[in-house]
Amino acid sequence: MVWNRKLKQLMGSATRAVQQALRQPAGQLLRAQPARQADPPPAPTATMPTGFPFHSIAHWPGQRATQAEDAATAEASPGAPQPSPAEPPGSFTRVAFTQPDALHPHAHHYHLYVPPAATAGGARPLLLMLHGCTQTPADFAAGTGMNEAAARANVLVLYPEQTHRANRHGCWNWFRPEDQRRDRGEPGLLMAMVQDVMARHRVDAGRIYVAGLSAGGAMAALLAREYPDVFAAAGVHSGLPAGAAHNMMTALSAMKHGAQPHARTQPVASPGQRVVPVIVFHGDADEAVHARNGDQVVAATLGSLVGGAAVLDQVVEQGASPAGQLYTRTVYRRALISGGRVVAEHWLLRGGGHAWSGGSAQGSYTDPAGVSATDEMLRFFLSHRR
C-alpha cells in the first residue's frame, strides 16, 4: 500500500543515516538534523472577533502568565500587537505561535477547530491531536474526520504543526531525551500551545485529552506520562510507549521489534497519584511500527497502577467493523471494589496496517475499512474527567 511504501522509504533513509553516522566519530549520532532557514509563510487568515475571558488551569513553570499581561504590555507600548482574538465558532484556523520564554524562540503554527456550538453552554473539552510523519494538521484532520466528530460532541481540537526545521520528515521527536521531559523541548512547546488556546477559549481544565498517530502517538504517550495532572485520558494509534528509545538507533529497533525491556516507560505511581487512562489502536500487520508496541503502551499504564494488573478486571470482545475488518477489543477496568473505572482499552486490528482505523481516504495513512478510531477515542475520552 502507498503508506507502507512511503514509510519503508523513510525508514530506509533513516537506516542509511544511522549507518553513515556509525562511521563517524562518537557523539555525532545525536546531532540535530540540518535546519531549513525558514518555513513557508502561513496563508493569510481573516480578522477574528474579540476574544473570550481567560480560563486556565495553573500555569506550567516557565510559561508566560495571562492574556491580561499581554494587554497591559500592549497598552503601555503604542503600536504593539494586540493579544490574539479567539477564533469564531465553526472555524478551522491556522494560528501563528511563538513559545513564551523560549531560549531560542522560533515561529510555530497550530490549527484550531472550534465547534459551531462553542458559544452555547459553559467550558468545553479540548483534544490535542498530534499528526504522524510527513503529515500536516489539515491532512490529519481530513483523514481522521475528527473535526466532524468534535462538532457533534462540542469539543475544541488543537492540531500542532511540526516544523521541518525540527525534523526534516515532520515527525515529532519522541526518541530524543531532550524531548521526553516535562516542560522541556517539544513537550514544553505543546503544553504552551494548549495554554495559548485556553487563554482565548473557555476550556474545561478537567477534560483535556491527547491523541496521536505513529510518531504523534508516541509523543501522546510521553505527554500522558509527563503531565498526569493535565490530561484526563490519552489515545495512542500505531505508536510506541513513552521512553521506548533515546536515539535514532533505538527508535528504529523499537519500531521494528518493540521497546527493549530496560527502556524507561512509565514508573509505578505512588499511592494517591493519578494514572492517565489510555486507549490504544494498533494493526497486527503494521510493518512500520510493530504491534508489540501497542501491547507495551497498555502494559506501561497497567504497570504504573499500584497493585498492577492484579487489581483489574479484564473483558475481551471479538468483533468486526461495518466493512468487515476483524478486531479484538480488550478492556481493563478497576475491580468494583476500587470503583470500576476503565483504565485501558486495547483495539488490536486484524490485518490492519500503519493507518488510522476507519479514517477517510481524503487524508494520508488511513484505513476506511476499519472500525472508527475517531468515534471510539472520543467516546473513551468523554467518559473520563481528571
Side-chain angles (χ1 to χ4, degrees):
M1 289 185 174
V2 175
W3 59 80
N4 278 336
R5 287 201 302 270
K6 288 183 178 179
L7 280 165
K8 285 179 179 179
Q9 291 171 358
L10 291 177
M11 293 178 68
S13 299
T15 301
R16 288 191 293 273
V18 170
Q19 291 172 342
Q20 180 180 1
L22 289 174
R23 292 192 289 268
Q24 297 174 349
Q28 294 188 4
L29 183 61
L30 296 180
R31 284 187 176 178
Q33 302 187 56
R36 291 185 178 185
Q37 292 301 313
D39 288 327
T45 57
T47 301
M48 303 301 177
T50 304
F52 292 105
F54 183 81
H55 295 266
S56 178
I57 58 176
H59 302 293
W60 292 285
Q63 304 303 330
R64 191 166 49 185
T66 67
Q67 187 178 11
E69 291 179 352
D70 291 339
T73 301
E75 184 177 352
S77 305
Q82 297 296 315
S84 300
E87 296 73 24
S91 65
F92 187 42
T93 308
R94 188 174 190 246
V95 179
F97 175 77
T98 300
Q99 184 178 5
D101 300 334
L103 292 177
H104 304 288
H106 296 288
H108 296 275
H109 293 87
Y110 62 77
H111 282 60
L112 182 67
Y113 175 72
V114 182
T119 56
R124 292 162 301 283
L126 172 64
L127 171 58
L128 177 65
M129 284 282 283
L130 302 174
H131 63 72
C133 299
T134 76
Q135 292 183 311
T136 65
D139 174 33
F140 193 38
T144 61
M146 188 59 79
N147 290 354
E148 293 77 8
R152 297 189 295 269
N154 197 21
V155 174
L156 293 157
V157 190
L158 166 61
Y159 300 85
E161 180 180 324
Q162 176 64 299
T163 68
H164 290 277
R165 178 181 58 250
N167 185 290
R168 69 179 66 187
H169 297 302
C171 309
W172 299 103
N173 292 302
W174 56 272
F175 51 87
R176 302 195 313 189
E178 61 268 35
D179 292 307
Q180 296 177 341
R181 296 294 184 180
R182 182 184 178 100
D183 299 329
R184 297 185 181 182
E186 290 178 358
L189 169 66
L190 295 170
M191 288 300 97
M193 290 182 176
V194 168
Q195 193 174 21
D196 190 57
V197 172
M198 295 180 74
R200 301 193 314 282
H201 294 271
R202 295 190 64 196
V203 173
D204 184 343
R207 294 190 296 170
I208 301 177
Y209 311 102
V210 59
L213 171 67
S214 191
M219 183 57 73
L222 272 166
L223 292 177
R225 184 189 72 183
E226 295 298 306
Y227 296 92
D229 56 329
V230 173
F231 294 105
V236 179
H237 200 313
S238 309
L240 300 94
H246 57 272
N247 56 32
M248 181 65 76
M249 289 180 62
T250 54
L252 291 172
S253 175
M255 290 169 66
K256 186 174 182 180
H257 305 291
Q260 295 299 312
H262 63 271
R264 177 182 180 260
T265 53
Q266 189 145 330
V268 175
S270 57
Q273 180 179 339
R274 186 174 177 277
V275 175
V276 177
V278 64
I279 181 170
V280 172
F281 282 81
H282 215 116
D284 65 2
D286 191 330
E287 296 181 2
V289 178
H290 196 282
R292 187 175 295 116
N293 286 283
D295 299 335
Q296 292 175 324
V297 173
V298 173
T301 299
L302 303 184
S304 65
L305 296 169
V306 176
V311 300
L312 300 173
D313 293 329
Q314 177 179 332
V315 177
V316 179
E317 167 195 341
Q318 307 292 337
S321 71
Q325 185 189 65
L326 301 178
Y327 63 78
T328 300
R329 175 191 178 210
T330 306
V331 178
Y332 300 88
R333 184 187 304 271
R334 289 184 183 272
L336 289 178
I337 193 173
S338 301
R341 297 296 301 273
V342 173
V343 295
E345 193 170 313
H346 186 193
W347 293 72
L348 184 63
L349 310 171
R350 302 299 180 182
H354 195 70
W356 187 273
S357 182
S360 168
Q362 294 181 1
S364 62
Y365 303 101
T366 63
D367 182 2
V371 66
S372 175
T374 295
D375 289 343
E376 296 298 341
M377 282 193 181
L378 269 183
R379 169 195 56 79
F380 182 86
F381 292 156
L382 296 177
S383 69
H384 291 85
R385 171 180 286 275
R386 180 176 55 81

